[in-house]
Amino acid sequence: MAGRGPCRLNSIGFGTWAWGNEFVWGYDSKTDDGRLAATFRQALSSGLNLIDTADSYGTGRLNGRSESLLGGFIDALPASRRSQLVVATKLAPFPWRLGRRGFHRAFDASQKRLGGHLKRVQLHWSTARYAPWQEAALLDGLADLVQAQQVDELGVSNVGPRRLRWMQARLMERGVKLRSVQIQWSLLSPGLAQAQEVLDLAQSLDIEVLAYSPLAFGVLSCAPAEAPRPSTWVRQRLFRRLLPESLEIRQLLLAIATERGASMVQVALNWCRATGTTPIPGIRTPSQAMDVAAALTWQLSESECSVLNQARERCIARMPSNPFQSR
Ligand SMILES: NC(=O)c1ccc[n+]([C@@H]2O[C@H](COP(=O)([O-])OP(=O)(O)OC[C@H]3O[C@@H](n4cnc5c(N)ncnc54)[C@H](OP(=O)(O)O)[C@@H]3O)[C@@H](O)[C@H]2O)c1
C-alpha cells in the first residue's frame, strides 16, 4: 500500500478551483479577489511554482474566473519570475468538444485568459466511460498543440491505470512525453488499490503524479477538538460525515505536528510527498500559502509514514469518488 517504499522528496504546488467557484467554495468576487491576489504573491514568494487551474473553474457568469484571475496576477510579475512558473490548466472534454480539433477553441480561450502564460495543458478527465470514440481524437488534438509548440507540456487527470497506460503509449508513438497525471490522493481519498496502481505505473513510466484534494477539502486541517462550519452546504455535509470518521487520523496528524513544531496541513502534505506524489492543495489566504510552503522544509520519517499508513487502512472515512474517474 501507499508509502511502502522509502520516503522521497517531491515538490508542492497549489490549486485554484476555489478561485471563482461559488457552489463548493462560496467564492465572492467582492470579498475574495484582493485576498486571492495576496495569496498568489505569498505563494510565489514562499517558493511555490506549480499552479493548477481549469477552464471549468468558474461557470456561468463566472466563466473561466480562476484562469482570468491567475492571468491578471501573473501579468503583474516581473518576466524573470514568470518564467519560473509552471501554469497548468485542464480542459474539460464536454460533449460538444468533438474530434481532433475539439479542444482548440477552448485552448485559445484559456491561453487568452491566462495572458499567454500557459505551460502545461491537461485532459481534465477521460471520455472512456461515456464516449470512448472521442478519447483518441481529443488526446491527439492536445498532442498536436504540443507538437505545434503552442504549449510546452501535456498532462492527464482522473484516469486509472488502464487509461494511463494506453494514453502514455499513444503519446509516445507521437514522440510526445506525458508529463503528469492528476488523481485524488490524500489520507482520506477513495479507491486505494486503483490509486496505488496509478502511482506504481506512473513511477515506472516517469510520469509525475499530482495529488489533488490532498487535504480532503480542508477536513485534514481540522484539529480533533475543532468543529468548523464551512460556508457552503456541500462542504458542511462532507465535514459532518468525515470529521467524526477521521478522528483517529486527525489525532495522529496533530500529534506528529506538535512533535515537529509544524501544522497538521504540513503533515498531511508531507505524507503525500512521502508517497512519491506532488500535492496541489487549494489555498485561499496568504497564511495558508505560507503554511503549505513550510512543508517543503522538512519530511516525515519512515516510522511516521508507517503509523499514518496503518491508520489510513483502518479508517472508514473516505472522500467521495470523482464521478469522472476512469479505470
Ligand atoms: N483534476 C481534478 O478533477 C481535480 C479535482 C479537485 C481538485 N483539483 C485541484 O486540486 C486542488 C486542491 O484540491 P481541493 O481544492 O479540492 O481541496 P484541498 O486541497 O484538499 O483542500 C483545500 C482547502 O484546505 C484548506 N487549507 C488549505 N491550506 C490550509 C492551511 N495551510 N491551513 C488550514 N487550512 C488549509 C482550505 O480550506 P478553507 O478554504 O476553508 O480555508 C482550502 O480551501 C484544486 O484547487 C484543484 O486545482 C483537481
Side-chain angles (χ1 to χ4, degrees), residues 252-267 270 290-300 304:
L252 282 173
L253 288 177
L254 182 62
I256 296 172
T258 307
E259 180 77 26
R260 292 283 193 163
S263 68
M264 290 169 63
V265 161
Q266 290 176 40
V267 181
N270 273 336
M290 238 182 310
D291 183 35
V292 159
L296 288 166
T297 61
W298 64 280
Q299 62 180 314
L300 288 169
E304 288 166 330

PDB file of all heavy atoms in Angstrom, residues 252-267 270 290-300 304:
ATOM      1  N   LEU A 252      -3.611  11.705  14.995  1.00  0.00           N
ATOM      2  CA  LEU A 252      -2.210  11.394  14.639  1.00  0.00           C
ATOM      3  C   LEU A 252      -1.535  12.574  13.959  1.00  0.00           C
ATOM      4  O   LEU A 252      -0.372  12.883  14.242  1.00  0.00           O
ATOM      5  CB  LEU A 252      -2.168  10.188  13.699  1.00  0.00           C
ATOM      6  CG  LEU A 252      -2.348   8.825  14.344  1.00  0.00           C
ATOM      7  CD1 LEU A 252      -2.466   7.752  13.261  1.00  0.00           C
ATOM      8  CD2 LEU A 252      -1.148   8.536  15.256  1.00  0.00           C
ATOM      9  N   LEU A 253      -2.270  13.226  13.052  1.00  0.00           N
ATOM     10  CA  LEU A 253      -1.695  14.404  12.379  1.00  0.00           C
ATOM     11  C   LEU A 253      -1.304  15.447  13.417  1.00  0.00           C
ATOM     12  O   LEU A 253      -0.222  16.044  13.352  1.00  0.00           O
ATOM     13  CB  LEU A 253      -2.712  15.014  11.392  1.00  0.00           C
ATOM     14  CG  LEU A 253      -3.006  14.235  10.109  1.00  0.00           C
ATOM     15  CD1 LEU A 253      -4.093  14.944   9.287  1.00  0.00           C
ATOM     16  CD2 LEU A 253      -1.755  14.077   9.251  1.00  0.00           C
ATOM     17  N   LEU A 254      -2.192  15.656  14.395  1.00  0.00           N
ATOM     18  CA  LEU A 254      -1.912  16.662  15.426  1.00  0.00           C
ATOM     19  C   LEU A 254      -0.706  16.252  16.277  1.00  0.00           C
ATOM     20  O   LEU A 254       0.153  17.087  16.594  1.00  0.00           O
ATOM     21  CB  LEU A 254      -3.146  16.888  16.306  1.00  0.00           C
ATOM     22  CG  LEU A 254      -2.976  17.956  17.389  1.00  0.00           C
ATOM     23  CD1 LEU A 254      -2.696  19.334  16.770  1.00  0.00           C
ATOM     24  CD2 LEU A 254      -4.224  18.045  18.276  1.00  0.00           C
ATOM     25  N   ALA A 255      -0.639  14.973  16.614  1.00  0.00           N
ATOM     26  CA  ALA A 255       0.478  14.509  17.457  1.00  0.00           C
ATOM     27  C   ALA A 255       1.809  14.707  16.728  1.00  0.00           C
ATOM     28  O   ALA A 255       2.778  15.219  17.304  1.00  0.00           O
ATOM     29  CB  ALA A 255       0.271  13.041  17.820  1.00  0.00           C
ATOM     30  N   ILE A 256       1.845  14.329  15.455  1.00  0.00           N
ATOM     31  CA  ILE A 256       3.103  14.487  14.687  1.00  0.00           C
ATOM     32  C   ILE A 256       3.412  15.978  14.517  1.00  0.00           C
ATOM     33  O   ILE A 256       4.553  16.419  14.676  1.00  0.00           O
ATOM     34  CB  ILE A 256       3.004  13.781  13.316  1.00  0.00           C
ATOM     35  CG1 ILE A 256       2.828  12.264  13.511  1.00  0.00           C
ATOM     36  CG2 ILE A 256       4.230  14.067  12.462  1.00  0.00           C
ATOM     37  CD1 ILE A 256       2.528  11.485  12.230  1.00  0.00           C
ATOM     38  N   ALA A 257       2.371  16.750  14.218  1.00  0.00           N
ATOM     39  CA  ALA A 257       2.568  18.191  14.012  1.00  0.00           C
ATOM     40  C   ALA A 257       3.131  18.835  15.280  1.00  0.00           C
ATOM     41  O   ALA A 257       4.072  19.642  15.222  1.00  0.00           O
ATOM     42  CB  ALA A 257       1.240  18.849  13.622  1.00  0.00           C
ATOM     43  N   THR A 258       2.587  18.477  16.436  1.00  0.00           N
ATOM     44  CA  THR A 258       3.034  19.069  17.704  1.00  0.00           C
ATOM     45  C   THR A 258       4.496  18.704  17.956  1.00  0.00           C
ATOM     46  O   THR A 258       5.322  19.555  18.287  1.00  0.00           O
ATOM     47  CB  THR A 258       2.145  18.559  18.859  1.00  0.00           C
ATOM     48  OG1 THR A 258       0.778  18.798  18.499  1.00  0.00           O
ATOM     49  CG2 THR A 258       2.453  19.269  20.156  1.00  0.00           C
ATOM     50  N   GLU A 259       4.794  17.438  17.745  1.00  0.00           N
ATOM     51  CA  GLU A 259       6.164  16.946  17.930  1.00  0.00           C
ATOM     52  C   GLU A 259       7.159  17.684  17.018  1.00  0.00           C
ATOM     53  O   GLU A 259       8.277  17.990  17.395  1.00  0.00           O
ATOM     54  CB  GLU A 259       6.136  15.445  17.596  1.00  0.00           C
ATOM     55  CG  GLU A 259       7.438  14.703  17.706  1.00  0.00           C
ATOM     56  CD  GLU A 259       7.795  14.395  19.148  1.00  0.00           C
ATOM     57  OE1 GLU A 259       6.877  14.307  19.975  1.00  0.00           O
ATOM     58  OE2 GLU A 259       9.009  14.257  19.414  1.00  0.00           O
ATOM     59  N   ARG A 260       6.699  17.976  15.794  1.00  0.00           N
ATOM     60  CA  ARG A 260       7.569  18.597  14.790  1.00  0.00           C
ATOM     61  C   ARG A 260       7.569  20.117  14.841  1.00  0.00           C
ATOM     62  O   ARG A 260       8.287  20.768  14.086  1.00  0.00           O
ATOM     63  CB  ARG A 260       7.081  18.193  13.387  1.00  0.00           C
ATOM     64  CG  ARG A 260       7.265  16.733  13.054  1.00  0.00           C
ATOM     65  CD  ARG A 260       8.698  16.501  12.718  1.00  0.00           C
ATOM     66  NE  ARG A 260       8.935  15.212  12.097  1.00  0.00           N
ATOM     67  CZ  ARG A 260      10.040  14.930  11.424  1.00  0.00           C
ATOM     68  NH1 ARG A 260      10.983  15.836  11.271  1.00  0.00           N
ATOM     69  NH2 ARG A 260      10.222  13.735  10.913  1.00  0.00           N
ATOM     70  N   GLY A 261       6.661  20.691  15.640  1.00  0.00           N
ATOM     71  CA  GLY A 261       6.501  22.152  15.618  1.00  0.00           C
ATOM     72  C   GLY A 261       5.976  22.623  14.265  1.00  0.00           C
ATOM     73  O   GLY A 261       6.353  23.685  13.767  1.00  0.00           O
ATOM     74  N   ALA A 262       5.118  21.785  13.657  1.00  0.00           N
ATOM     75  CA  ALA A 262       4.561  22.112  12.337  1.00  0.00           C
ATOM     76  C   ALA A 262       3.025  22.126  12.449  1.00  0.00           C
ATOM     77  O   ALA A 262       2.479  22.031  13.538  1.00  0.00           O
ATOM     78  CB  ALA A 262       5.024  21.065  11.324  1.00  0.00           C
ATOM     79  N   SER A 263       2.338  22.253  11.305  1.00  0.00           N
ATOM     80  CA  SER A 263       0.869  22.228  11.326  1.00  0.00           C
ATOM     81  C   SER A 263       0.382  20.869  10.827  1.00  0.00           C
ATOM     82  O   SER A 263       1.131  20.124  10.178  1.00  0.00           O
ATOM     83  CB  SER A 263       0.319  23.323  10.409  1.00  0.00           C
ATOM     84  OG  SER A 263       0.631  22.995   9.067  1.00  0.00           O
ATOM     85  N   MET A 264      -0.888  20.572  11.110  1.00  0.00           N
ATOM     86  CA  MET A 264      -1.482  19.327  10.594  1.00  0.00           C
ATOM     87  C   MET A 264      -1.445  19.309   9.065  1.00  0.00           C
ATOM     88  O   MET A 264      -1.231  18.268   8.448  1.00  0.00           O
ATOM     89  CB  MET A 264      -2.919  19.193  11.092  1.00  0.00           C
ATOM     90  CG  MET A 264      -3.026  18.911  12.572  1.00  0.00           C
ATOM     91  SD  MET A 264      -4.715  19.074  13.163  1.00  0.00           S
ATOM     92  CE  MET A 264      -5.568  17.790  12.247  1.00  0.00           C
ATOM     93  N   VAL A 265      -1.671  20.469   8.460  1.00  0.00           N
ATOM     94  CA  VAL A 265      -1.649  20.560   6.993  1.00  0.00           C
ATOM     95  C   VAL A 265      -0.274  20.145   6.457  1.00  0.00           C
ATOM     96  O   VAL A 265      -0.167  19.384   5.490  1.00  0.00           O
ATOM     97  CB  VAL A 265      -2.030  21.999   6.545  1.00  0.00           C
ATOM     98  CG1 VAL A 265      -1.596  22.294   5.123  1.00  0.00           C
ATOM     99  CG2 VAL A 265      -3.528  22.209   6.709  1.00  0.00           C
ATOM    100  N   GLN A 266       0.773  20.625   7.119  1.00  0.00           N
ATOM    101  CA  GLN A 266       2.128  20.249   6.661  1.00  0.00           C
ATOM    102  C   GLN A 266       2.336  18.737   6.763  1.00  0.00           C
ATOM    103  O   GLN A 266       2.960  18.127   5.887  1.00  0.00           O
ATOM    104  CB  GLN A 266       3.188  20.969   7.483  1.00  0.00           C
ATOM    105  CG  GLN A 266       3.251  22.464   7.222  1.00  0.00           C
ATOM    106  CD  GLN A 266       4.261  23.146   8.130  1.00  0.00           C
ATOM    107  OE1 GLN A 266       5.333  22.612   8.384  1.00  0.00           O
ATOM    108  NE2 GLN A 266       3.922  24.323   8.626  1.00  0.00           N
ATOM    109  N   VAL A 267       1.820  18.135   7.824  1.00  0.00           N
ATOM    110  CA  VAL A 267       1.980  16.677   7.965  1.00  0.00           C
ATOM    111  C   VAL A 267       1.211  15.967   6.846  1.00  0.00           C
ATOM    112  O   VAL A 267       1.740  15.051   6.190  1.00  0.00           O
ATOM    113  CB  VAL A 267       1.496  16.186   9.351  1.00  0.00           C
ATOM    114  CG1 VAL A 267       1.685  14.675   9.473  1.00  0.00           C
ATOM    115  CG2 VAL A 267       2.228  16.910  10.475  1.00  0.00           C
ATOM    116  N   ASN A 270       3.071  16.383   3.649  1.00  0.00           N
ATOM    117  CA  ASN A 270       4.319  15.606   3.615  1.00  0.00           C
ATOM    118  C   ASN A 270       4.062  14.102   3.524  1.00  0.00           C
ATOM    119  O   ASN A 270       4.916  13.365   3.014  1.00  0.00           O
ATOM    120  CB  ASN A 270       5.209  15.967   4.810  1.00  0.00           C
ATOM    121  CG  ASN A 270       6.078  17.166   4.472  1.00  0.00           C
ATOM    122  OD1 ASN A 270       6.339  17.407   3.289  1.00  0.00           O
ATOM    123  ND2 ASN A 270       6.514  17.915   5.464  1.00  0.00           N
ATOM    124  N   MET A 290       1.738  30.355   3.141  1.00  0.00           N
ATOM    125  CA  MET A 290       2.993  30.262   3.891  1.00  0.00           C
ATOM    126  C   MET A 290       3.108  28.913   4.595  1.00  0.00           C
ATOM    127  O   MET A 290       4.152  28.268   4.596  1.00  0.00           O
ATOM    128  CB  MET A 290       3.030  31.373   4.941  1.00  0.00           C
ATOM    129  CG  MET A 290       4.216  32.260   4.790  1.00  0.00           C
ATOM    130  SD  MET A 290       4.331  33.539   6.048  1.00  0.00           S
ATOM    131  CE  MET A 290       2.775  34.306   6.088  1.00  0.00           C
ATOM    132  N   ASP A 291       1.991  28.497   5.181  1.00  0.00           N
ATOM    133  CA  ASP A 291       1.978  27.229   5.919  1.00  0.00           C
ATOM    134  C   ASP A 291       2.264  26.053   4.981  1.00  0.00           C
ATOM    135  O   ASP A 291       3.092  25.180   5.273  1.00  0.00           O
ATOM    136  CB  ASP A 291       0.605  27.080   6.589  1.00  0.00           C
ATOM    137  CG  ASP A 291       0.523  25.826   7.431  1.00  0.00           C
ATOM    138  OD1 ASP A 291       1.535  25.445   8.031  1.00  0.00           O
ATOM    139  OD2 ASP A 291      -0.573  25.224   7.483  1.00  0.00           O
ATOM    140  N   VAL A 292       1.591  26.051   3.826  1.00  0.00           N
ATOM    141  CA  VAL A 292       1.778  24.981   2.844  1.00  0.00           C
ATOM    142  C   VAL A 292       3.250  24.905   2.421  1.00  0.00           C
ATOM    143  O   VAL A 292       3.863  23.831   2.380  1.00  0.00           O
ATOM    144  CB  VAL A 292       0.849  25.235   1.627  1.00  0.00           C
ATOM    145  CG1 VAL A 292       1.335  24.514   0.399  1.00  0.00           C
ATOM    146  CG2 VAL A 292      -0.584  24.841   1.964  1.00  0.00           C
ATOM    147  N   ALA A 293       3.840  26.070   2.129  1.00  0.00           N
ATOM    148  CA  ALA A 293       5.237  26.084   1.662  1.00  0.00           C
ATOM    149  C   ALA A 293       6.192  25.621   2.761  1.00  0.00           C
ATOM    150  O   ALA A 293       7.249  25.047   2.457  1.00  0.00           O
ATOM    151  CB  ALA A 293       5.604  27.478   1.182  1.00  0.00           C
ATOM    152  N   ALA A 294       5.812  25.832   4.019  1.00  0.00           N
ATOM    153  CA  ALA A 294       6.700  25.420   5.117  1.00  0.00           C
ATOM    154  C   ALA A 294       6.866  23.892   5.148  1.00  0.00           C
ATOM    155  O   ALA A 294       7.860  23.386   5.688  1.00  0.00           O
ATOM    156  CB  ALA A 294       6.161  25.921   6.454  1.00  0.00           C
ATOM    157  N   ALA A 295       5.933  23.167   4.550  1.00  0.00           N
ATOM    158  CA  ALA A 295       6.073  21.703   4.496  1.00  0.00           C
ATOM    159  C   ALA A 295       7.302  21.295   3.684  1.00  0.00           C
ATOM    160  O   ALA A 295       7.827  20.190   3.854  1.00  0.00           O
ATOM    161  CB  ALA A 295       4.805  21.073   3.903  1.00  0.00           C
ATOM    162  N   LEU A 296       7.755  22.203   2.804  1.00  0.00           N
ATOM    163  CA  LEU A 296       8.928  21.884   1.981  1.00  0.00           C
ATOM    164  C   LEU A 296      10.216  21.851   2.792  1.00  0.00           C
ATOM    165  O   LEU A 296      11.236  21.363   2.310  1.00  0.00           O
ATOM    166  CB  LEU A 296       9.080  22.933   0.862  1.00  0.00           C
ATOM    167  CG  LEU A 296       8.048  22.858  -0.265  1.00  0.00           C
ATOM    168  CD1 LEU A 296       8.082  24.130  -1.111  1.00  0.00           C
ATOM    169  CD2 LEU A 296       8.306  21.630  -1.138  1.00  0.00           C
ATOM    170  N   THR A 297      10.165  22.378   4.015  1.00  0.00           N
ATOM    171  CA  THR A 297      11.406  22.493   4.795  1.00  0.00           C
ATOM    172  C   THR A 297      11.713  21.238   5.609  1.00  0.00           C
ATOM    173  O   THR A 297      12.723  21.186   6.300  1.00  0.00           O
ATOM    174  CB  THR A 297      11.339  23.702   5.760  1.00  0.00           C
ATOM    175  OG1 THR A 297      10.239  23.477   6.669  1.00  0.00           O
ATOM    176  CG2 THR A 297      11.124  25.005   5.003  1.00  0.00           C
ATOM    177  N   TRP A 298      10.823  20.264   5.604  1.00  0.00           N
ATOM    178  CA  TRP A 298      11.086  19.042   6.379  1.00  0.00           C
ATOM    179  C   TRP A 298      10.374  17.857   5.734  1.00  0.00           C
ATOM    180  O   TRP A 298       9.588  18.031   4.812  1.00  0.00           O
ATOM    181  CB  TRP A 298      10.662  19.221   7.842  1.00  0.00           C
ATOM    182  CG  TRP A 298       9.183  19.443   8.054  1.00  0.00           C
ATOM    183  CD1 TRP A 298       8.485  20.605   7.907  1.00  0.00           C
ATOM    184  CD2 TRP A 298       8.214  18.459   8.456  1.00  0.00           C
ATOM    185  NE1 TRP A 298       7.152  20.420   8.183  1.00  0.00           N
ATOM    186  CE2 TRP A 298       6.956  19.103   8.533  1.00  0.00           C
ATOM    187  CE3 TRP A 298       8.279  17.095   8.772  1.00  0.00           C
ATOM    188  CZ2 TRP A 298       5.779  18.436   8.905  1.00  0.00           C
ATOM    189  CZ3 TRP A 298       7.108  16.436   9.143  1.00  0.00           C
ATOM    190  CH2 TRP A 298       5.889  17.108   9.206  1.00  0.00           C
ATOM    191  N   GLN A 299      10.693  16.659   6.195  1.00  0.00           N
ATOM    192  CA  GLN A 299       9.988  15.484   5.675  1.00  0.00           C
ATOM    193  C   GLN A 299       9.690  14.498   6.799  1.00  0.00           C
ATOM    194  O   GLN A 299      10.354  14.499   7.836  1.00  0.00           O
ATOM    195  CB  GLN A 299      10.778  14.824   4.564  1.00  0.00           C
ATOM    196  CG  GLN A 299      12.131  14.287   4.985  1.00  0.00           C
ATOM    197  CD  GLN A 299      12.867  13.636   3.822  1.00  0.00           C
ATOM    198  OE1 GLN A 299      12.311  12.856   3.073  1.00  0.00           O
ATOM    199  NE2 GLN A 299      14.131  13.968   3.685  1.00  0.00           N
ATOM    200  N   LEU A 300       8.697  13.665   6.568  1.00  0.00           N
ATOM    201  CA  LEU A 300       8.305  12.654   7.565  1.00  0.00           C
ATOM    202  C   LEU A 300       9.361  11.557   7.638  1.00  0.00           C
ATOM    203  O   LEU A 300       9.975  11.211   6.629  1.00  0.00           O
ATOM    204  CB  LEU A 300       6.973  12.016   7.163  1.00  0.00           C
ATOM    205  CG  LEU A 300       5.712  12.875   7.304  1.00  0.00           C
ATOM    206  CD1 LEU A 300       4.540  12.200   6.610  1.00  0.00           C
ATOM    207  CD2 LEU A 300       5.385  13.115   8.776  1.00  0.00           C
ATOM    208  N   GLU A 304       6.976   7.600  11.005  1.00  0.00           N
ATOM    209  CA  GLU A 304       5.772   8.456  10.977  1.00  0.00           C
ATOM    210  C   GLU A 304       4.887   8.085   9.780  1.00  0.00           C
ATOM    211  O   GLU A 304       3.657   8.002   9.900  1.00  0.00           O
ATOM    212  CB  GLU A 304       6.183   9.930  10.903  1.00  0.00           C
ATOM    213  CG  GLU A 304       6.783  10.460  12.192  1.00  0.00           C
ATOM    214  CD  GLU A 304       7.489  11.812  12.013  1.00  0.00           C
ATOM    215  OE1 GLU A 304       8.025  12.088  10.909  1.00  0.00           O
ATOM    216  OE2 GLU A 304       7.537  12.573  12.982  1.00  0.00           O
TER     217      GLU A 304
END
